[in-house]
Amino acid sequence: MSYQTAIERMYALGHELAQAPSHKFDLAHMRVLLVALENPERQSSGVLIAGTNGKGSTAATLASILGASGLRTGLYTSPHLVRINERVRINGGEISDDDFALLHDVVDRTAERLVSEGELPWHPSFFEMLTAMAFEYFARRKVDIAVLEVGMGGRLDATNVIEPRVSVITDISLDHQKFLGNTVAEIAREKAGIIHPGGIVVTLPQQPQANDVIGNTILEMDATAVSAVPYVPPVAPGSDCGYGSRGKSLTECTGDAESSDHSQPVWRYPLQVMGQKICVETPLMGRHQLRNVALAIAAAEELSKQGFPITAASIERGVRDTRWPGRFQVIPAANGNPEYIFDVAHNPAGAWALRSTLSACYEDRRLIFVFGALRDKAIGEMAEILFPVAERVVATRADNPRSATPDEICQAARTSAEIKTAPDVATAVAQACAFGGSDGVVVITGSIYVVGEAMRLLGARI
């Protein structure tokens, strides 16, 4: 089977979230498929990461730390920005087209046989297929450890078939209410489903409703709670934490960082880790990212206690080398074009995080937004958060059947901001570029699909 055929067959399965609660949410069926594949998920150690916002950033940072520690590290994330291959990586390298096609053929044929023999009631979903392919790929390539980002929820997510060495829960807020519940507590119960009996759970304090659910689940499961609070730096004025450029001293953290890109903005601060003082230098911008980096560092330290060869130096190097595109990613102004910022703020909590970072870094700049979102998102609330800081907004839609139309965005956005519409992302970017000129900042956000299309259009590094 060719790569293109494999991709077409995958997308023909449809998107699980495009309709009512679907067949995806049944771990029994996922386990039947994995047994038929000889349980590839058991061939390596694993870490599970769940949450509403920040789980991808946390997963990418932890995977980078593990790779810097000399471990052959798998990383499974979702969704993707441009190509589906981005979701399955080993030590930063995407799965190849040939391997993707081969593994799709293996898993697809296995699934069809199970359906024909009555072992499965229907063909596995898109996410179940891709998760099984990732497990099979990691097993064949003999990874030492795999970092798995939960797709949605946790309790019934296809990734939750492993026995994790460590579970991590990032910040929880309202999202996917149609599937997970209408309150933070209900959503937290689904996320806390990745806590296994006797397991280790890395967390940070958050909303009281989420704290209560996570705490009670830890007690019920006789699990061990690990707080990442010691790794969150102070950000008050006068503290040793702030924005800077790579390799440039910001505070007492003055060591020269190895980097090929000295223009990239970073958070830089000193930290005590494993009894040693290190210089944390993360390219993940925004105060909210400090929590995600702290969770990754705490998880890495727990893994070191379990015998993995992780050191303070490898944590420092791994954080610095983290690559997680589309999260406040900046393309500097050039050739008369404005500066571009890509950020996949797809819910109100993400919108607040983006607004906070813009306020800190671009307080006196003209901001032009390119905004598109999926129809089932809280568009009105996101617009209320983001649009007031914009000089102008261009509403658009990605090439995705779940996307809201520009007119639907305008109707939902109860704001006095000037909103223009564009039928597609390319037109929207062109309009925003014309509005922005050489001194403006074009912020492309609202949906990972809009951001991905814009990044591909502008040639941004994925």
Side-chain angles (χ1 to χ4, degrees):
M1 183 182 296
S2 71
Y3 172 74
Q4 189 57 42
T5 300
I7 293 294
E8 290 170 358
R9 286 178 66 96
M10 283 291 290
Y11 283 120
L13 294 172
H15 198 292
E16 288 99 335
L17 305 189
Q19 48 200 345
S22 67
H23 300 328
K24 170 187 172 183
F25 307 108
D26 191 330
L27 289 186
H29 298 159
M30 186 66 187
R31 291 190 174 106
V32 168
L33 176 60
L34 292 173
V35 166
L37 293 169
E38 299 183 355
N39 292 113
E41 80 282 7
R42 299 179 183 174
Q43 302 307 305
S44 64
S45 298
V47 176
L48 270 179
I49 302 179
T52 304
N53 290 301
K55 58 185 187 289
S57 298
T58 303
T61 303
L62 178 58
S64 184
I65 290 171
L66 297 174
S69 303
L71 295 163
R72 190 167 177 79
T73 305
L75 176 63
Y76 179 57
T77 59
S78 62
H80 57 275
L81 283 165
V82 175
R83 301 180 76 236
I84 196 171
N85 304 51
E86 298 166 31
R87 299 178 180 225
V88 184
R89 298 172 179 263
I90 295 178
N91 285 86
E94 296 177 6
I95 185 173
S96 70
D97 292 357
D98 287 345
D99 282 333
F100 188 98
L102 171 65
L103 292 172
H104 176 271
D105 194 46
V106 169
V107 177
D108 192 49
R109 288 176 183 272
T110 301
E112 289 181 345
R113 174 177 63 79
L114 293 170
V115 172
S116 69
E117 294 174 355
E119 295 293 319
L120 284 177
W122 43 68
H123 193 284
S125 70
F126 175 98
F127 191 76
E128 287 170 329
M129 284 286 295
L130 197 54
T131 304
M133 290 165 60
F135 284 137
E136 185 71 15
Y137 182 59
F138 295 154
R140 293 185 179 209
R141 292 303 179 94
K142 295 181 169 53
V143 303
D144 299 310
I145 188 166
V147 179
L148 308 171
E149 177 192 358
V150 167
M152 187 183 74
R155 182 174 63 92
L156 297 177
D157 191 81
T159 59
N160 198 26
V161 292
I162 69 166
E163 287 297 327
R165 288 297 194 103
V166 175
S167 297
V168 182
I169 299 179
T170 67
D171 290 342
I172 296 172
S173 60
L174 295 177
D175 201 9
H176 295 305
Q177 290 98 309
K178 179 179 177 181
F179 300 91
L180 302 179
N182 293 315
T183 67
V184 168
E186 289 175 334
I187 293 172
R189 288 188 192 96
E190 295 299 317
K191 309 289 186 184
I194 68 166
I195 301 174
H196 288 225
I200 295 173
V201 190
V202 177
T203 63
L204 278 170
Q206 46 182 300
Q207 296 189 56
Q209 306 97 305
N211 289 337
D212 289 345
V213 170
I214 294 168
N216 288 332
T217 305
I218 289 170
L219 291 174
E220 291 166 6
M221 293 293 178
D222 194 25
T224 300
V226 175
S227 174
V229 167
Y231 305 113
V232 180
V235 292
S239 69
D240 291 335
C241 178
Y243 293 116
S245 296
R246 284 189 180 275
K248 293 182 179 180
S249 174
L250 189 70
T251 61
E252 64 181 76
C253 178
T254 57
D256 290 332
E258 301 171 12
S259 173
S260 59
D261 182 4
H262 291 276
S263 65
Q264 181 180 351
V266 295
W267 271 109
R268 205 157 191 256
Y269 50 93
L271 199 66
Q272 286 289 329
V273 174
M274 300 172 69
Q276 297 182 41
K277 181 179 177 180
I278 67 171
C279 178
V280 174
E281 190 180 75
T282 173
L284 301 178
M285 299 301 289
R287 291 189 179 187
H288 61 290
Q289 293 288 9
L290 300 179
R291 291 172 60 84
N292 301 326
V293 172
L295 289 165
I297 291 174
E301 182 162 0
E302 285 305 307
L303 290 169
S304 76
K305 295 175 182 177
Q306 297 180 30
F308 290 92
I310 299 163
T311 65
S314 66
I315 289 174
E316 181 180 59
R317 186 165 58 251
V319 172
R320 186 180 65 234
D321 293 343
T322 301
R323 296 291 177 267
W324 192 228
R327 282 73 182 176
F328 211 88
Q329 183 173 345
V330 178
I331 295 182
N335 303 319
N337 291 321
E339 186 169 341
Y340 292 99
I341 296 173
F342 305 98
D343 193 86
V344 294
H346 63 279
N347 56 34
W352 275 120
L354 172 58
R355 178 168 170 167
S356 173
T357 308
L358 287 170
S359 297
C361 300
Y362 292 86
E363 184 178 9
D364 299 321
R365 300 287 297 277
R366 295 171 50 239
L367 302 178
I368 296 89
F369 277 70
V370 172
F371 181 88
L374 299 183
R375 190 173 285 111
D376 61 350
K377 296 296 183 178
I379 297 173
E381 190 174 349
M382 292 166 66
E384 191 174 329
I385 295 164
L386 290 174
F387 291 6
V389 302
E391 180 179 283
R392 188 171 300 191
V393 177
V394 183
T396 189
R397 64 170 297 162
D399 183 17
N400 184 299
R402 296 170 58 210
S403 294
T405 67
D407 287 341
E408 287 172 334
I409 291 172
C410 290
Q411 291 168 11
R414 300 174 298 278
T415 175
S416 59
E418 182 180 358
I419 304 178
K420 301 293 185 180
T421 61
D424 53 56
V425 173
T427 304
V429 170
Q431 288 185 16
C433 185
F435 295 146
S438 59
D439 63 335
V441 179
V442 173
V443 182
I444 301 167
T445 188
S447 160
I448 194 168
Y449 302 103
V450 167
V451 171
E453 286 186 30
M455 292 182 75
R456 181 170 60 245
L457 183 72
L458 295 170
R461 186 174 69 174
I462 302 297

